[in-house]
Amino acid sequence: NERKQRVFQVSAGYPLNSNGDPHAGAPEERVELRKKVTLLRGISIIIGTIIGAGIFISPKGILKNSGSVGMSLVVWIACGILSLFGALSYAELGTCIKKSGGHYTYILEAFGPQVAFVRLWVDMIAIRPAGLAVIALAFGRYILEPIFMPCGVPEIAIKLATTIGITMVMYLNSMSVSWTARIQIFLTFSKLLAMAIIIVPGLYQLFKGETKNFENAFEVNTIDLTGLPLAFYSGMYAYAGWFYLNFVTEEVENPERTVPLAICISMVIVMICYTLTNVAYYTVMSAEELLASNAVAVTFAEKLMGNFSFAVPVFVALSCFGSMNGCLFAISRMFYVASREGQLPEVLSMIHIRRHTPLPAVIVLYPITLLILFLGDIYSLLNFMSFLRWLFIGVAVVGLIYLRYTRPDMPRPFKVPIFIPAVFSFTCFFMVFLSLYSDPINTGIGFAISLTGIPAYFIFIHFERKPKWFQKLSGQRLHKCKWETSEYAQKFLSSYTLIIHIMMPDMPSSF
């Protein structure tokens, strides 16, 4: 029983002694997340989360809104450069603020707990579970497609496969950081192999002289200047994911060197792969054929490789699984850090003493994601909330500029020219404005949902500032940033214990 009681401890920097009491006796070991993210693993996290299903299935938003083949390639490259600006800004933030948590941590450091909590609130109730469910749905659809060909895949089968995929990712992240990272490396190489299978034959066709689709590539009559902002919007979403390494900064070996290097290498690789993949598509398909295709990579494979096209859905499913794995690995650390800062229940900052994984923070999204998957309107929720990603990323990068002036003596091992965060933050706010202009109703609903984080902050965080009548009405005086072991806390812990036992049968029955 003594050994079982030592399985979970709150990771607040306490050493763990022989009887499991963090406050007594001589320390044996420090319970914390270990530094297991090397340069290769960091690169795999970034590339593995950026490259999803979109480049294989429907990379046509840019072409549709730019109006020509040549301009679409220019937009792909320009969005890659702008994303690199954002990534470099986050590289500076990650090396001067050596805490995990990504956007949340940087907003907390620059602008305080209120703004940071609103970001956390929106992530937890909507953006992260809905985003995870969408990626998982794509996994479920494409992993089953070869089995059901040429028929369609039943919706219930997709949702069951999706549930299995989510459970597998949760279990993997709960069991081992090392194995999560190894699987991510394998999946990242699978994605790059899939892109190479498209790029190499495409470039071969190009060198053979298949250039008819590039003739008049910049024809003025077809370029739609009014659609270019929407083309950039699509391009920036295609590159989204470069910030995920910053969510696990505390687990990165030598972050001063690894974080900037991993970010730069990853962004260059992704930008080259995206551009060459689109060039390869155009060697085989005209712009009209690409826009008409429901699955561009499948159409490309059918034209060049015949029966090999059945393998494309498998590669897409692996790509989606890699995105799920990298996303969950990173996001769980944000919840872990928020709990450590007192803005989420203390149970979420607990670490498994043998496996050194933040198990409660990993599985906190599991019930919410499954609920949205089976009962919610996922795509409407994403339409409401997705623009908020760019708003808060822009705020975090503005925080970099703000810290330059308010904390000039802060150590900055990696420092970028000021115009880089300035240009990128302007781009983020422009995308928010574009969302307001193009879809004011959904954007307004998204803002309204996010504003619910303000009363939530004062209800759940600023307990001591509540009037006495409110505290009497609630039946107890709650202390700021503490999750007391009350009846409600016991119920919460019991629920998590049940989920943990389902995920890991060898887990003890008590914390």
Side-chain angles (χ1 to χ4, degrees):
N1 289 333
E2 181 180 316
R3 184 187 66 80
K4 290 182 177 180
Q5 290 173 357
R6 298 173 68 245
V7 171
F8 274 96
Q9 293 292 336
V10 175
S11 175
Y14 298 126
L16 182 68
N17 66 8
S18 58
N19 62 3
D21 182 2
H23 299 291
E28 280 185 357
E29 58 181 316
R30 188 181 178 89
V31 182
E32 60 186 357
L33 298 176
R34 294 177 176 176
K35 291 184 178 292
K36 293 187 176 182
V37 180
T38 60
L39 177 61
L40 179 60
R41 290 176 177 179
I43 292 171
S44 71
I45 289 172
I46 298 172
I47 295 178
T49 47
I50 292 178
I51 302 175
I55 191 65
F56 301 107
I57 304 303
S58 58
K60 50 192 179 185
I62 292 177
L63 175 61
K64 180 181 178 181
N65 291 298
S66 61
S68 73
V69 170
M71 187 57 68
S72 71
L73 294 175
V74 170
V75 171
W76 277 107
I77 295 171
C79 288
I81 293 171
L82 285 172
S83 298
L84 179 61
F85 280 10
L88 290 172
S89 301
Y90 265 54
E92 177 176 330
L93 286 167
T95 53
C96 67
I97 303 173
K98 299 183 185 68
K99 294 181 182 178
S100 298
H103 322 310
Y104 167 79
T105 298
Y106 305 144
I107 294 173
L108 180 68
E109 288 285 327
F111 302 114
Q114 294 90 345
V115 182
F117 181 81
V118 172
R119 165 70 197 190
L120 178 70
W121 175 259
V122 171
D123 264 349
M124 195 159 195
I125 67 171
I127 293 179
R128 297 305 171 185
L132 190 62
V134 166
I135 300 171
L137 276 172
F139 166 79
R141 180 180 299 277
Y142 288 102
I143 199 68
L144 294 177
E145 192 167 288
I147 301 173
F148 285 87
M149 279 182 175
C151 302
V153 184
E155 285 298 317
I156 187 63
I158 291 173
K159 290 194 173 183
L160 288 175
T162 298
T163 303
I164 293 171
I166 294 172
T167 305
M168 288 171 61
V169 170
M170 294 280 179
Y171 184 78
L172 178 63
N173 277 267
S174 300
M175 288 294 291
S176 170
V177 172
S178 295
W179 273 106
T180 300
R182 288 169 189 156
I183 294 294
Q184 188 68 12
I185 291 172
F186 168 76
L187 294 170
T188 299
F189 277 106
S190 298
K191 296 183 185 198
L192 296 178
L193 175 62
M195 299 187 85
I197 290 173
I198 295 170
I199 291 170
V200 173
L203 292 182
Y204 177 71
Q205 294 295 314
L206 187 65
F207 293 140
K208 280 176 58 179
E210 295 290 336
T211 58
K212 61 180 182 294
N213 293 326
F214 294 97
E215 294 173 2
N216 302 317
F218 292 93
E219 190 174 358
V220 177
N221 295 334
T222 61
I223 296 175
D224 183 9
L225 293 177
T226 59
L228 279 179
L230 291 173
F232 272 92
Y233 197 81
S234 298
M236 294 299 288
Y237 265 101
Y239 283 99
W242 43 262
F243 40 75
Y244 278 117
L245 186 61
N246 294 70
F247 282 71
V248 297
T249 305
E250 293 173 25
E251 296 169 72
V252 176
E253 293 181 357
N254 190 12
E256 294 87 351
R257 173 184 176 274
T258 303
V259 170
L261 201 54
I263 285 174
C264 292
I265 292 172
S266 301
M267 290 307 299
V268 170
I269 291 174
V270 171
M271 188 161 54
I272 292 172
C273 287
Y274 274 1
T275 305
L276 292 182
T277 300
N278 280 277
V279 169
Y281 288 151
Y282 292 132
T283 62
V284 176
M285 291 178 282
S286 65
E288 292 76 16
E289 288 175 321
L290 191 143
L291 290 173
S293 174
N294 291 324
V296 177
V298 174
T299 305
F300 176 89
E302 287 174 348
K303 283 178 173 287
L304 279 187
M305 307 171 196
N307 293 331
F308 185 74
S309 60
F310 79 90
V312 173
V314 177
F315 279 117
V316 173
L318 289 174
S319 182
C320 293
F321 193 87
S323 295
M324 282 195 294
N325 187 54
C327 181
L328 182 64
F329 180 77
I331 294 305
S332 62
R333 273 56 179 178
M334 181 178 71
F335 298 143
Y336 164 78
V337 171
S339 172
R340 196 173 61 188
E341 295 290 338
Q343 293 199 338
L344 284 178
E346 193 174 59
V347 67
L348 297 183
S349 63
M350 290 184 176
I351 296 173
H352 192 284
I353 196 172
R354 294 195 303 273
R355 295 182 174 88
H356 291 268
T357 58
L359 184 54
V362 169
I363 64 174
V364 67
L365 285 182
Y366 189 66
I368 307 172
T369 304
L370 292 186
L371 193 66
I372 290 176
L373 176 65
F374 284 97
L375 302 177
D377 187 349
I378 300 171
Y379 294 99
S380 294
L381 194 59
L382 280 181
N383 287 337
F384 295 153
M385 312 301 291
S386 58
F387 78 96
L388 289 172
R389 166 191 283 180
W390 299 109
L391 174 62
F392 284 110
I393 290 175
V395 169
V397 175
V398 168
L400 182 153
I401 301 172
Y402 179 73
L403 290 172
R404 287 274 188 97
Y405 292 97
T406 57
R407 296 167 67 179
D409 297 329
M410 175 184 287
R412 291 177 172 86
F414 181 84
K415 190 173 181 179
V416 296
I418 197 70
F419 81 89
I420 288 180
V423 169
F424 182 76
S425 57
F426 173 80
T427 302
C428 290
F429 295 135
F430 174 75
M431 292 173 69
V432 173
F433 170 78
L434 186 64
S435 295
L436 286 167
Y437 176 77
S438 62
D439 193 0
I441 295 177
N442 282 339
T443 305
I445 294 172
F447 265 122
I449 294 174
S450 66
L451 290 177
T452 61
I454 297 175
Y457 175 80
F458 287 100
I459 292 171
F460 297 118
I461 305 301
H462 273 237
F463 295 112
E464 286 183 342
R465 297 187 182 182
K466 290 298 169 191
K468 291 182 178 180
W469 65 265
F470 182 90
Q471 296 182 19
K472 290 179 180 178
L473 188 65
S474 65
Q476 55 182 338
R477 294 182 64 90
L478 299 174
H479 298 282
K480 180 181 178 181
C481 295
K482 292 284 186 181
W483 231 62
E484 298 290 310
T485 310
S486 61
E487 178 185 355
Y488 303 103
Q490 292 292 350
K491 289 180 179 178
F492 186 88
L493 290 172
S494 298
S495 301
Y496 266 90
T497 304
L498 178 61
I499 297 172
I500 290 168
H501 272 287
I502 293 172
M503 297 284 291
M504 302 177 69
D506 66 329
M507 194 61 57
S509 58
S510 62
F511 290 139

